[in-house]
Amino acid sequence: MTPRSRYCSNACRQRSYRRRQRVTHDAVPIGSPLMHLSSFVGRTDEMIEAGRLLQNARVLTLTGPGGVGKTRMALELASRAQRARRCASAMVTLEQVTDVAELRRHLAEAVGGAGVTGGSTGAQQYDAERLLVLDGCEHLLDDCGDQLSRLLPARPHLRVLVTSREPLRLPGETVFSLGGLTMPRPDRGTPLTECLRSHAVLLFLDRARTIASDFQLTQDNAPFIGEICRRLEGLPLAIEMAARLVRVFPLAEVVERLDDVLGLLTSGWRLADSRHQSLRASLQWSYDLLSQEERLLYRRLSVLPGGFGAGAAAAVFRPSRDSAAETAELLIALEAKSLIMPCAGQGGAAWFRMLEPVRRHGHEQLAAEGEEAETYGLLLSWLTGLCAPLHEKTYVPPATLRRIATEGENIAHLLGRLHHDDDRHALLAGALATAVLSEQDGAYSSFDVIDLITDAVGRTSDSSLYRGIVLEGAAMGAAGQGDFVTALHHVTQAIERERSLANDPLLCRLLLLRGTFYELVDEVDSASEDLQEALGLARRPEDIVVVAQCRSGLARADLREGALGDAERGLGEALPVLRAARSPRVLRPALITAGMLALEKGDLSVAEGFFTEVMEESADQSREFAGALEGLALVAARTSHHEVGLRLIGAVTEIGQERLWGGAWWRTRVQAAYADALQALPAGRAAAALRAGKESRRNPIVEITVDPRRQGTSAPSAADLLLSAREREVVALVMDGLTNRQIAARLHVSVRTVETHIRNIRTSHGLRSRAHIAAWAAERGMNME
């Protein structure tokens, strides 16, 4: 941090101030005039944070992939500092600089000669703050680092703002990584509303209007503009080039042509440097700076559009067992060079992805080097090994299913290249569908798993070794959509096939699946027969979880028949095993059954505990979540908390009929609770309670205490159960540590509006401060997305 200046008198302080003002006024505007002709769009949060860092760091390095807007943001930061009269600024563009002598000359011209040439560091001091912008240092990292290490000690009032695709790794350097501009999310709100919140879309509109002044964002073109910005990953350079196409192509055609994104986006500024003339040139600049090994891995990672961990990277890089350490080092190097990006991975494991334009460039290089067939072959072998347990084992551990689901986009990409007469196509398609539908409760990924498995059923021959896997996935997909007729047809075909092949592990799992389907359509006797047969086939030690699942299903059958003692014994054996399996997918049905049993016995506090546990373990659109809500509604009805019960039933109706739990036995009890509540409450209160439940999304606050024997409290108010959509967004951003001003910019509202929301949240829930709001939300595991 720069030391504060000390003055001998007030007059001395004034002279220093006037000198600084002269320096600021006389400073030549930084950057090329070409850059300043364009408006600066977006980056609200990044500008606030980077500006704060720039005030305290001697060296601030903006990193990011080519075309992400590092230079433009550096110019804006420096210009704002200069306009605020905090410092004089100068800029050195290094693209054409190739040797250290030329670098020294540019630095000397920008800040003066003392301390630059490598001689004495000197003691010359300057009262005026100065900001030096070094643009494009990635090809001169060592030379820039050496010169700055000599220059900075001699000039305590000098700060340096660096743009580079890789950090300098200097002592005292602060690194600020830039990603793409915010993009519209297709799963939230209308396309037009989402586009208006997106900085990427605002940049597209701004640049499009420079060549078509009447261009407007409309309800009709918003989906196309949003798709363009998403496909371009919010990269400003790519978006600017795409925006210039609106005079030539309709937006729908621009979207179609993005499959050849590198060939399409070639309209850089006429006077821009060579790196910014086209998207391909920008990426080629980075590629040319890589070592041979880094280039090889970069090319091969391009076959993984869904992202990758260390295992997948090693598998496509070199199949030898000793390549893991080498691959890890190369991944670190590529991440440092902004060619791959770290992102959230499974179970906290490291996970990376390539921006789509970067991946396309890598794939071009892969094809040019003639490595495409070999690399896809390595990927196919690795993914086949990952999916094989679904054909070979009765119980597939949750970690394996999650791993397969995580690789979903990579599997889907590979399936598009495989011939359908390749038996491995059936294995990969069936395993992917089963894994995604098992682990994500039907919340499909960016690819449509239902279309994928439906296509595989039609194309997989009856003689395929893996047809049973395909039919299993198709059955789960149909059941997830509430089509149990089709689901039973597919799983019955699979059972007959695996019987003929004497494949007991897969047959056992299919019988368990069909038994579950039979139960959901009230064919209880058929369900019990399948579960009993599955029990007989589950003979291996690793089948213990399947045995427990079968016993849990049979306990539900006993419960329907009124055999509460038999149901309790079966659950007593099953629950400990299912808890130890640490798989919510297999535990939730048993917890629902335990809650039902407790209700039948009149143990309302115990029932509430089981249903609440299900809610904590479930996705908000899952069948078990709906069953838990209905279970809590029954508890509420039996403790005369009818308003709470109606709110819960109202919330269930928004999940959808195909997601409701249980058959006629359970539905009869839910309908009775509903009727009792309508009779007990005035019509207006009942309608308001149902409406409040329907309007709410899943509320993660699972403290719905309706049994006074549990905590001695009355039913919660609506404020305890509901937050508005906007309040959820505000709480989420408070949890992320954003200030009121940053939240206002993110949500496109005024600061006063944000303050009002926060005040309402605090008042409604008895919270004292923003920190208390964040802690309160974190304690309840709130997921505002």
Side-chain angles (χ1 to χ4, degrees):
M1 184 172 178
T2 303
R4 294 185 61 184
S5 300
R6 302 182 66 180
Y7 303 97
C8 61
S9 67
N10 238 1
C12 181
R13 184 189 303 275
Q14 290 298 320
R15 282 194 299 273
S16 175
Y17 172 76
R18 288 192 294 271
R19 185 161 59 248
R20 289 199 305 272
Q21 290 296 87
R22 281 198 305 275
V23 171
T24 302
H25 286 304
D26 295 342
V28 178
I30 65 164
S32 67
L34 183 66
M35 292 298 296
H36 280 287
L37 290 176
S38 64
S39 57
F40 184 78
V41 179
R43 301 278 190 211
T44 306
D45 294 343
E46 293 98 323
M47 285 296 295
I48 292 171
E49 180 62 17
R52 182 185 65 81
L53 294 173
L54 188 58
Q55 291 182 34
N56 297 290
R58 295 296 306 279
V59 180
L60 175 63
T61 302
L62 304 182
T63 64
V68 81
K70 299 182 293 295
T71 300
R72 189 64 184 86
M73 182 167 169
L75 287 169
E76 189 67 17
L77 283 168
S79 294
R80 290 187 184 185
Q82 186 166 294
R83 288 197 302 270
R85 297 183 173 179
R86 288 197 297 267
C87 64
S89 303
M91 181 174 184
V92 177
T93 301
L94 299 177
E95 186 205 6
Q96 303 298 330
V97 177
T98 57
D99 59 66
V100 68
E102 191 176 1
L103 174 63
R104 286 175 185 162
R105 186 174 70 255
H106 282 292
L107 291 177
E109 291 172 356
V111 299
V116 177
T117 61
S120 170
T121 57
Q124 184 177 358
Q125 302 294 313
Y126 295 85
D127 288 333
E129 294 278 352
R130 292 186 67 84
L131 176 64
L132 172 64
V133 180
L134 290 182
D135 180 43
C137 294
E138 54 269 358
H139 63 301
L140 296 169
L141 291 174
D142 292 339
D143 291 337
C144 286
D146 179 63
Q147 293 304 308
L148 290 180
S149 66
R150 298 170 183 271
L151 178 64
L152 289 169
R155 295 179 177 260
H157 294 279
L158 176 66
R159 301 178 191 279
V160 183
L161 179 58
V162 176
T163 72
S164 175
R165 303 186 190 189
E166 185 176 0
L168 298 177
R169 292 193 289 181
L170 286 179
E173 177 189 25
T174 299
V175 179
F176 189 84
S177 295
L178 285 182
L181 296 172
T182 56
M183 295 170 285
R185 289 179 50 169
D187 58 337
R188 294 181 60 178
T190 65
L192 181 59
T193 302
E194 275 300 296
C195 281
L196 289 171
R197 296 173 179 168
S198 164
H199 289 165
V201 171
L202 295 180
L203 177 65
F204 184 95
L205 295 175
D206 182 85
R207 300 306 190 252
R209 286 167 182 159
T210 63
I211 53 97
S213 58
D214 59 344
F215 187 84
Q216 297 293 329
L217 176 67
T218 66
Q219 196 75 45
D220 293 333
N221 66 22
F224 296 114
I225 296 175
E227 180 66 13
I228 290 168
C229 292
R230 283 190 294 271
R231 293 273 296 274
L232 297 178
E233 303 268 10
L235 284 176
L237 177 64
I239 290 171
E240 289 183 343
M241 292 180 182
R244 296 187 190 114
L245 299 174
V246 298
R247 287 185 62 182
V248 181
F249 300 115
L251 288 172
E253 189 171 347
V254 173
V255 172
E256 291 178 4
R257 288 172 174 266
L258 285 179
D259 287 338
D260 181 24
V261 63
L262 300 180
L264 181 66
L265 303 182
T266 58
S267 55
W269 288 333
R270 189 184 306 277
L271 300 179
D273 59 59
S274 59
R275 290 174 297 166
H276 298 115
Q277 287 290 350
S278 70
L279 186 58
R280 179 181 282 112
S282 178
L283 296 171
Q284 190 66 35
W285 169 270
S286 295
Y287 181 73
D288 290 341
L289 295 175
L290 299 179
S291 68
Q292 291 299 322
E293 293 294 281
E294 290 168 348
R295 290 182 188 182
L296 176 61
L297 181 58
Y298 171 81
R299 294 193 298 268
R300 297 198 166 197
L301 291 176
S302 68
V303 303
L304 299 166
F308 46 88
V316 299
F317 179 49
R318 288 200 178 98
S320 61
R321 294 183 179 180
D322 59 352
S323 66
E326 181 185 8
T327 305
E329 291 180 5
L330 292 173
L331 287 174
I332 293 171
L334 291 179
E335 191 279 330
K337 293 173 172 59
S338 305
L339 290 171
I340 62 176
M341 300 177 61
C343 50
Q346 171 194 331
W351 191 259
F352 304 91
R353 62 183 292 267
M354 282 178 150
L355 297 178
E356 184 59 17
V358 177
R359 191 189 71 81
R360 295 275 183 174
H361 178 264
H363 207 275
E364 275 191 359
Q365 304 303 315
L366 185 76
E369 295 291 335
E371 298 168 349
E372 199 172 5
E374 177 191 357
T375 307
Y376 276 109
L378 293 172
L379 178 62
L380 176 59
S381 297
W382 185 72
L383 290 176
T384 301
L386 186 65
C387 296
L390 273 87
H391 187 256
E392 300 165 355
K393 296 181 181 295
T394 300
Y395 176 68
V396 181
T400 301
L401 291 172
R402 285 194 296 270
R403 189 76 183 87
I404 294 170
T406 301
E407 297 290 345
E409 288 189 54
N410 296 328
I411 294 175
H413 175 67
L414 184 59
L415 288 174
R417 299 180 59 89
L418 271 180
H419 294 294
H420 285 84
D421 55 3
D422 188 327
D423 230 17
R424 294 170 295 184
H425 186 285
L427 173 62
L428 294 176
L432 175 57
T434 299
V436 170
L437 296 169
S438 295
E439 289 302 307
Q440 298 184 9
D441 294 299
Y444 311 143
S445 302
S446 58
F447 56 92
D448 192 330
V449 73
I450 298 297
D451 286 348
L452 184 149
I453 194 62
T454 301
D455 180 69
V457 169
R459 293 176 178 269
T460 304
S461 68
D462 291 336
S463 61
S464 171
L465 178 64
Y466 302 115
R467 182 162 176 78
I469 299 290
V470 172
L471 292 170
E472 179 186 25
M476 294 180 68
Q481 296 180 316
D483 184 0
F484 288 102
V485 173
T486 302
L488 284 167
H489 172 72
H490 286 320
V491 75
T492 299
Q493 276 192 319
I495 286 171
E496 292 171 356
R497 174 159 183 78
E498 299 309 313
R499 280 194 204 282
S500 67
L501 297 175
N503 184 3
D504 287 354
L506 181 53
L507 176 60
C508 178
R509 189 170 76 243
L510 291 169
L511 287 166
L512 174 60
L513 183 64
R514 189 171 70 174
T516 303
F517 293 163
Y518 276 138
E519 180 187 354
L520 292 171
V521 296
D522 277 331
E523 295 188 28
V524 182
D525 291 340
S526 296
S528 296
E529 290 176 10
D530 278 350
L531 294 175
Q532 290 287 4
E533 185 179 355
L535 268 177
L537 292 172
R539 295 182 290 267
R540 296 180 295 183
E542 60 266 29
D543 294 342
I544 184 173
V545 176
V546 175
V547 170
Q549 288 180 273
C550 292
R551 286 178 175 158
S552 172
L554 292 169
R556 283 191 294 278
D558 291 333
L559 186 59
R560 290 169 182 253
E561 298 297 322
L564 302 188
D566 292 341
E568 190 166 13
R569 282 190 293 275
L571 280 175
E573 295 177 4
L575 266 177
V577 175
L578 296 176
R579 287 190 187 280
R582 299 185 181 277
S583 170
R585 176 178 61 89
V586 301
L587 175 61
R588 290 187 305 241
L591 292 174
I592 290 279
T593 308
M596 292 175 171
L597 176 61
L599 274 175
E600 292 299 291
K601 294 171 63 178
D603 294 335
L604 300 185
S605 179
V606 174
E608 182 190 342
F610 281 123
F611 292 134
T612 299
E613 186 178 354
V614 173
M615 291 179 69
E616 292 170 340
E617 296 283 353
S618 301
D620 62 350
Q621 294 297 312
S622 70
R623 184 173 286 109
E624 290 87 359
F625 185 82
L629 283 176
E630 290 181 326
L632 288 170
L634 289 177
V635 176
R638 296 182 187 186
T639 53
S640 299
H641 293 114
H642 299 294
E643 196 166 352
V644 173
L646 284 178
R647 282 205 302 273
L648 294 168
I649 289 173
V652 171
T653 61
E654 292 302 294
I655 293 177
Q657 289 292 323
E658 74 279 1
R659 295 272 178 202
L660 296 184
W661 176 270
W665 180 86
W666 181 247
R667 301 257 63 79
T668 299
R669 284 156 174 75
V670 175
Q671 289 299 324
Y674 177 67
D676 289 344
L678 290 180
Q679 186 174 1
L681 293 173
R685 284 180 62 189
L690 281 170
R691 186 168 56 251
K694 289 179 180 180
E695 290 175 354
S696 68
R697 295 171 62 186
R698 178 196 181 182
N699 188 350
I701 309 169
V702 195
E703 295 181 326
I704 307 172
T705 304
V706 293
D707 183 1
R709 293 176 296 174
R710 183 169 180 180
Q711 291 185 1
T713 59
S714 60
S717 66
D720 296 321
L721 291 173
L722 301 172
L723 286 171
S724 71
R726 180 63 83 190
E727 286 173 343
R728 283 194 295 271
E729 291 178 320
V730 170
V731 171
L733 295 174
V734 168
M735 292 175 71
D736 288 340
L738 272 65
T739 66
N740 286 359
R741 188 171 297 278
Q742 289 172 318
I743 293 173
R746 183 75 61 86
L747 299 181
H748 301 282
V749 297
S750 69
V751 176
R752 180 164 294 185
T753 299
V754 174
E755 292 170 348
T756 300
H757 283 307
I758 290 179
R759 182 170 59 251
N760 291 341
I761 294 166
R762 289 173 53 194
T763 302
S764 300
H765 298 280
L767 304 172
R768 296 185 301 276
S769 64
R770 294 167 58 86
H772 199 184
I773 291 173
W776 169 80
E779 285 173 2
R780 289 155 177 80
M782 297 179 79
N783 177 11
M784 296 301 171
E785 295 297 326

